[in-house]
Amino acid sequence: MEVTPIFWIVFFALVIILLVLDLFVFHKKNEAIGVKSALKWSAFWIGLAMLFNLGVWKVLGPVKGLEFFTAYLLEESLSIDNLFVFIMIFSFFKIEPKYQHGVLFWGIIGAIIFRAIFIFAGVALISKFAWIMYVFGAFLLYTGIKMIVKKDDDEFNPENNIIIKAFKKVFPVTTDMSQPKFFIRENGKKVATTFFIALLFIEMSDVLFAVDSVPAVLSVSKDVFIVYTSNIFAILGLRSLYFALSGIMPYFHYLKYALAGILSFIGVKMCVNELIHDGLLSDFFKIGNFTSLGVIVAFLLMSIIASLIWKKK
């Protein structure tokens, strides 16, 4: 069965309803989200994604259902790396926990827009230039290796970011954090607050994250509907996952090696499968989505077990 416009309408209507309920009903007050509440919300978002996955399986068939599940799990696992960045951003700008949910909410809105641009552009490039798969594969392999050799103690300072510096030159920024707003009036002049700078940096980090994650998900499926919906469902649950894991993530210090392994594997998969498609390699070496799913789960489990056994000093 083909994906018709009604599929997109239903999906976007669902996303809009969920976002409106999230901001104006369930989290209309500025309050810190506890681990217990965050775990419940994480279960809700994951359960919702699985219900959508079941609908995809029933309507579009088991192949598309498997593609969605694999893409969702891949995107969710790679999102863990982004959570570390969120922790550092909020810590650096001293954003109180009760205000973090609001900043992340608007970060999600930006991510929904940017992901659409990246995914549609990626699919268009692949359909026009098949060799771009080799470029994506090599880039993911390079990124995976870079993650392994990168030092954990690299200095993190958003103030040194060239975009942040450029923004501050053209728009006044205040250090007043008494009001949890992105823009306020100070001496009769409209100025940006630290909350907006933190949001700006979160948006930039998501764009950089999408450069890795979107090509990786395109290795699972080239169906725009599957790739985009799996991305958005993973992003929607990212805030709850952040609050659920922010207190314990430092203990899982081997996760970065799992993510590096996943990116490297996906990079190899893209290159190998493209060589098979071009008739340069036997079908025997083809890496399917079942294999990808198993490798992703194995990497994550091994990293968590290793983190629990060998504690970081």
Side-chain angles (χ1 to χ4, degrees):
M1 185 175 181
E2 293 293 324
V3 175
T4 60
I6 191 66
F7 284 81
W8 288 102
I9 294 172
V10 170
F11 171 71
F12 281 117
L14 176 63
V15 170
I16 292 171
I17 291 171
L18 289 170
L19 289 174
V20 169
L21 288 174
D22 190 355
L23 183 63
F24 298 106
V25 179
F26 301 120
H27 298 104
K28 59 182 179 180
K29 295 181 180 179
N30 290 319
E31 55 185 7
I33 300 176
V35 174
K36 186 177 180 180
S37 176
L39 287 172
K40 289 180 180 179
W41 276 105
S42 294
F44 167 77
W45 289 114
I46 293 172
L48 193 64
M50 293 302 96
L51 282 175
F52 188 85
N53 192 181
L54 181 62
V56 171
W57 191 290
K58 291 287 186 181
V59 177
L60 299 180
V63 174
K64 295 296 182 183
L66 178 62
E67 286 181 358
F68 179 93
F69 182 73
T70 306
Y72 174 78
L73 182 60
L74 175 60
E75 183 68 24
E76 195 80 348
S77 60
L78 293 177
S79 296
I80 296 174
D81 194 42
N82 228 22
L83 299 184
F84 284 101
V85 177
F86 292 165
I87 291 173
M88 290 188 289
I89 291 172
F90 287 136
S91 176
F92 181 87
F93 289 112
K94 297 180 175 60
I95 306 294
E96 295 182 49
K98 63 180 179 180
Y99 300 135
Q100 292 176 6
H101 183 276
V103 176
L104 287 175
F105 175 88
W106 293 106
I108 295 299
I109 301 298
I112 290 174
I113 298 171
F114 286 122
R115 290 304 170 89
I117 296 172
F118 272 86
I119 290 170
F120 280 93
V123 172
L125 283 172
I126 291 172
S127 62
K128 192 168 184 179
F129 308 104
W131 52 264
I132 204 74
M133 292 292 285
Y134 292 115
V135 177
F136 285 164
F139 177 73
L140 291 178
L141 184 59
Y142 164 77
T143 304
I145 295 172
K146 186 179 178 181
M147 284 182 70
I148 295 175
V149 301
K150 183 181 178 182
K151 295 180 180 179
D152 290 332
D153 57 355
D154 285 348
E155 185 181 359
F156 176 81
N157 189 349
E159 296 291 349
N160 294 331
N161 183 275
I162 188 171
I163 297 179
I164 297 294
K165 287 182 176 180
F167 178 81
K168 287 186 173 182
K169 286 182 179 180
V170 298
F171 203 94
V173 178
T174 180
T175 56
D176 182 5
M177 297 179 66
S178 60
Q179 302 179 62
K181 297 179 179 179
F182 295 130
F183 297 94
I184 62 173
R185 288 204 169 272
E186 196 173 74
N187 299 322
K189 193 175 184 180
K190 192 173 185 179
V191 296
T193 65
T194 302
F195 295 101
F196 181 78
I197 298 299
L199 173 64
L200 186 61
F201 204 85
I202 284 175
E203 294 291 7
M204 288 188 296
S205 70
D206 185 74
V207 169
L208 293 175
F209 170 71
V211 173
D212 293 335
S213 67
V214 170
V217 176
L218 287 173
S219 74
V220 175
S221 175
K222 297 178 183 64
D223 187 320
V224 175
F225 183 76
I226 297 297
V227 175
Y228 187 68
T229 54
S230 61
N231 255 257
I232 299 307
F233 271 107
I235 291 172
L236 288 173
L238 192 58
R239 288 164 302 148
S240 299
L241 194 62
Y242 164 78
F243 290 105
L245 299 181
S246 59
I248 60 175
M249 282 178 65
Y251 296 100
F252 297 128
H253 48 277
Y254 285 111
L255 272 175
K256 83 163 191 174
Y257 296 105
L259 301 180
I262 290 171
L263 284 174
S264 299
F265 167 76
I266 295 298
V268 171
K269 172 189 174 181
M270 294 180 81
C271 292
V272 168
N273 286 355
E274 193 60 27
L275 285 170
I276 294 171
H277 181 267
D278 292 340
L280 301 175
L281 203 61
S282 169
D283 282 349
F284 175 79
F285 297 100
K286 188 171 184 178
I287 304 173
N289 284 336
F290 269 118
T291 303
S292 298
L293 187 60
V295 170
I296 293 169
V297 172
F299 268 121
L300 291 174
L301 287 178
M302 285 190 297
S303 69
I304 292 173
I305 292 171
S307 297
L308 294 174
I309 294 175
W310 292 287
K311 306 290 185 181
K312 187 176 182 180
K313 295 181 181 180

